[in-house]
Amino acid sequence: MDVLTEPFAVSFVSRAALAGILVAIGCACAGTWVVLRGMAFLGDAMSHGMLPGVATASLLGASLHLGAAVAAGAMAAGVSALQRSRRLGNDTTIGLLFVGMLALGVIIVSASSSFAVDLTAFLFGDVLGVRSSEVLVLAATTTVIVVVTVVGRRAFLLAALDHRIAQTTGLRPRVTEGVLLALLTLAIVSSFSVVGTLLVFGMLIAPPAAALLWTSRVSSAMVLAAAFGCVAVLGGLVISWHAATAAGATITLTAVGIFALSLGLSSLKRRPTSPLPTERTLVS
């Protein structure tokens, strides 16, 4: 038992665990919709599209979270605007914005003679270096994500099922889409300092994907995804402590391992081998 509890006796590890749990909860709420609606590519593009904002903020000595929020907001606005055009597919518009934002970020970094931007921390995070103030910010943003998810659950579900159904019930699907995109942006921006942009995508996708192998109910999937995410955080920190590996990467790999284990066990139980539940198979 000491093997499991020993790491958390150290203050920075226990603080990392708390921050990771908050990230797991926020990513479970936003990530469930991402997986259900086939928005994984958008989530990946959003997480990497923050580079110009973070690079600019670092060079100016401003808040990295503020820079990330501005860049992610610009990315979200661009996606929303371009998706209204019927001449281009969603993948095309997202891909163009993704490449453009990433290229802009690299140009901003290369323009600095000192290369002052800490790209390693941005890409891979520093979960063991999380400060108490960052934990408080994470707690606030996670609370907002949970509240918006609970309040907007019906609207999100109806918009996922069919825009026409949503409209007949008095809802505005485009507004709902915008709120969902903002929710995804908030989850990514608040999490990147903990696990980094390359790894936040794993926490956003793996736990919800594992959860949806066991249930098709949205509320149950979110709770189970949060549980899987928390197990990945705690388990990843324990493994990282004893194996002397990168904490953020270990947490993410543990989350992917939970998905692989869930996939194997669900197959053994002879559950349907069809893809993850689609919008039309959801049960409210």
Side-chain angles (χ1 to χ4, degrees):
M1 185 61 70
D2 289 342
V3 173
L4 298 178
T5 59
E6 177 188 350
F8 304 105
V10 181
S11 61
F12 66 83
V13 178
S14 60
R15 190 162 53 244
L18 178 57
I21 288 172
L22 291 170
V23 167
I25 295 172
C27 285
C29 292
T32 299
W33 294 113
V34 169
V35 174
L36 283 173
R37 305 192 62 176
M39 297 165 58
F41 183 42
L42 174 59
D44 188 26
M46 291 284 290
S47 63
H48 290 79
M50 296 186 299
L51 179 57
V54 174
T56 302
S58 179
L59 292 174
L60 297 177
S63 169
L64 297 185
H65 282 93
L66 178 60
V70 171
M75 181 82 176
V79 169
S80 297
L82 290 177
Q83 281 183 341
R84 295 175 184 174
S85 172
R86 297 182 179 180
R87 300 179 63 183
L88 296 174
N90 287 346
D91 287 348
T92 301
T93 58
I94 294 171
L96 288 172
L97 284 171
F98 173 30
V99 172
M101 293 290 282
L102 192 60
L104 178 60
V106 173
I107 290 173
I108 293 173
V109 172
S110 64
S112 171
S113 58
S114 62
F115 291 91
V117 180
D118 189 356
L119 288 179
T120 301
F122 170 69
L123 294 174
F124 303 105
D126 186 14
V127 64
L128 296 179
V130 173
R131 299 185 294 271
S132 298
S133 58
E134 292 177 315
V135 174
L136 292 176
V137 172
L138 266 174
T141 55
T142 301
T143 301
V144 171
I145 291 172
V146 171
V147 170
V148 172
T149 299
V150 172
V151 174
R153 176 178 171 275
R154 179 174 175 271
F156 294 152
L157 182 59
L158 289 175
L161 288 170
D162 195 312
H163 278 198
R164 289 172 297 180
I165 296 176
Q167 287 177 334
T168 57
T169 58
L171 297 175
R172 300 175 63 184
R174 289 195 180 278
V175 174
T176 302
E177 294 283 349
V179 173
L180 183 58
L181 199 56
L183 200 69
L184 175 61
T185 301
L186 184 59
I188 292 174
V189 170
S190 62
S191 304
F192 89 90
S193 64
V194 178
V195 293
T197 58
L198 288 179
L199 303 180
V200 70
F201 182 62
M203 289 296 292
L204 197 68
I205 300 300
L212 287 167
L213 291 170
W214 299 105
T215 179
S216 60
R217 293 178 61 90
V218 175
S219 55
S220 299
M222 287 184 180
V223 172
L224 191 55
F228 283 154
C230 291
V231 170
V233 168
L234 298 177
L237 286 173
V238 170
I239 295 171
S240 172
W241 176 269
H242 293 289
T245 56
T250 306
I251 290 172
T252 306
L253 186 59
T254 303
V256 174
I258 290 174
F259 167 76
L261 181 61
S262 295
L263 183 62
L265 292 176
S266 62
S267 298
L268 288 176
K269 287 195 172 188
R270 296 183 180 180
R271 293 179 62 85
T273 57
S274 58
L276 295 176
T278 62
E279 294 91 344
R280 298 184 184 278
T281 64
L282 300 180
V283 180
S284 60

